[in-house]
């Protein structure tokens, strides 16, 4: 395929400067973003709230139901106590800038996830450290929790929302695609994780795509899409973007 500047112009609205060089479309009034506010994120099936040490005991109990496999691709865990959970979350928040929210089902902690890699000047943030206990895995709550975090970011002016995972972590990659993220490529030898090579797969949703992604997720999460036993009538994969 032969690429020219005009190959991308129709969809991206690329301008040209006085020298004829293509430049990005104007973003009127752009002043960057602020760090996302600490606030409850309330859905139909779950509620998210900023991490507090009072959540540690519940998270430890939820994670103790796992046989160990949930930690294969995470940089922390498994935990041997509630104190270890709290120490880990506090350490990542203090030293690596994670902004952690706890996912609650019927007021019981069942997982946590974090906003990370804030790029405030350019309006980009990543969802990471996605830690789902067995009670949360492959559930409606898991999908709604990710939707609520994504919506929180775009509602506050962010232009890019990222998801990254070990390229070998097929469930994470499939989850990103299911949620409406676009695959952007693989950063080879990006990290050394658990003493092994990690090639990192990158996914994103950008502001121009968010209305369609949001409508699709909300259509799937609508109560009418579930029967009296909570079983989905239409799979999210069956709802087109």
């Amino acid at each position: 395929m032969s690429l020219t500047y005009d190959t991308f112009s129709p969809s991206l609205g690329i301008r040209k400067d006085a020298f004829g060089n293509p430049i990005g479309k104007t973003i009127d009034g752009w002043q960057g973003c602020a760090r996302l506010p600490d606030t409850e994120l309330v859905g139909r099936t779950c509620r998210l709230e900023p991490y507090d040490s009072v959540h540690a005991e519940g998270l430890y109990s939820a994670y103790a139901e796992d046989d160990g496999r949930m930690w294969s691709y995470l940089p922390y865990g498994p935990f041997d106590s509630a104190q270890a959970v709290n120490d880990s979350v506090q350490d990542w928040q203090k030293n690596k800038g994670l902004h952690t929210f706890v996912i609650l089902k019927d007021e019981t902690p069942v997982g946590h996830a974090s906003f990370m890699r804030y790029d405030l000047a350019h309006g980009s943030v990543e969802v990471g450290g996605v830690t789902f206990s067995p009670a949360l895995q492959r559930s409606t709550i898991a999908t709604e929790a990710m939707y609520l975090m994504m919506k929180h970011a775009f509602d506050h002016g962010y232009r890019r929302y990222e998801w990254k995972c070990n390229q070998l972590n097929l469930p994470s990659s499939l989850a990103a695609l299911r949620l409406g993220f676009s695959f952007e490529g693989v950063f080879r030898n990006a990290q050394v994780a658990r003493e092994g090579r990690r090639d990192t797969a990158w996914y994103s949703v950008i502001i121009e795509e968010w209305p369609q992604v949001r409508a699709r997720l909300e259509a799937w999460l609508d109560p009418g899409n579930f029967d009296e036993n909570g079983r989905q009538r239409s799979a999210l994969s069956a709802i087109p973007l």
Side-chain angles (χ1 to χ4, degrees):
M1 179 180 179
S2 177
L3 298 181
T4 67
Y5 292 131
D6 291 334
T7 301
F8 307 101
S9 299
S11 61
L12 298 182
I14 292 176
R15 301 170 295 137
K16 292 185 178 180
D17 65 13
F19 303 99
N21 295 319
I23 55 177
K25 67 179 181 181
T26 300
I27 304 173
D28 294 328
W30 178 251
Q31 296 182 341
C33 289
R35 190 175 170 92
L36 288 163
D38 280 336
T39 186
E40 289 187 336
L41 309 178
V42 180
R44 180 177 66 86
T45 66
C46 64
R47 183 169 63 84
L48 281 67
E49 60 184 27
Y51 178 82
D52 187 273
S53 59
V54 299
H55 297 119
E57 190 67 49
L59 289 174
Y60 172 67
S61 296
Y63 299 153
E65 296 299 316
D66 176 69
D67 63 4
R69 72 187 65 195
M70 65 176 282
W71 306 107
S72 295
Y73 298 105
L74 288 166
Y76 46 74
F79 300 112
D80 59 8
S81 66
Q83 185 62 53
V85 173
N86 184 61
D87 289 345
S88 175
V89 175
Q90 298 285 14
D91 176 64
W92 282 85
Q93 293 205 128
K94 178 181 178 182
N95 295 315
K96 297 194 176 181
L98 268 67
H99 184 184
T100 301
F101 282 72
V102 175
I103 303 162
L104 299 116
K105 173 186 178 183
D106 299 327
E107 301 305 309
T108 299
V110 289
H112 71 279
S114 302
F115 295 116
M116 58 189 290
R117 302 187 195 281
Y118 276 104
D119 187 341
L120 302 180
H122 300 109
S124 176
V125 69
E126 177 184 343
V127 60
V130 179
T131 310
F132 288 173
S133 72
L136 188 53
Q137 295 165 15
R138 301 180 64 83
S139 69
T140 304
I141 292 174
T143 299
E144 185 166 41
M146 292 297 94
Y147 158 77
L148 290 171
M149 292 185 72
M150 198 184 313
K151 181 177 183 295
H152 191 47
F154 284 117
D155 281 354
H156 285 85
Y158 280 77
R159 297 181 46 77
R160 174 178 170 84
Y161 192 73
E162 297 180 337
W163 177 296
K164 302 188 186 85
C165 63
N166 190 315
Q167 187 188 19
L168 300 177
N169 187 352
L170 183 59
S172 185
S173 288
L174 292 175
L177 294 172
R178 177 178 174 272
L179 289 166
F181 286 79
S182 296
F183 175 64
E184 295 186 324
V186 175
F187 280 37
R188 299 174 298 167
N189 276 354
Q191 295 177 354
V192 176
R194 295 192 182 271
E195 301 181 356
R197 165 179 168 166
R198 168 170 158 156
D199 298 338
T200 298
W202 285 51
Y203 300 84
S204 73
V205 175
I206 59 174
I207 187 63
E208 291 84 354
E209 300 165 340
W210 171 235
Q212 291 76 27
V213 172
R214 176 178 180 172
R216 177 173 173 267
L217 289 169
E218 290 178 350
W220 185 81
L221 289 165
D222 187 275
N225 188 42
F226 297 87
D227 65 19
E228 61 276 9
N229 297 312
R231 292 189 294 261
Q232 64 181 357
R233 301 183 191 275
S234 297
L236 183 54
S237 60
I239 303 174
L241 274 171

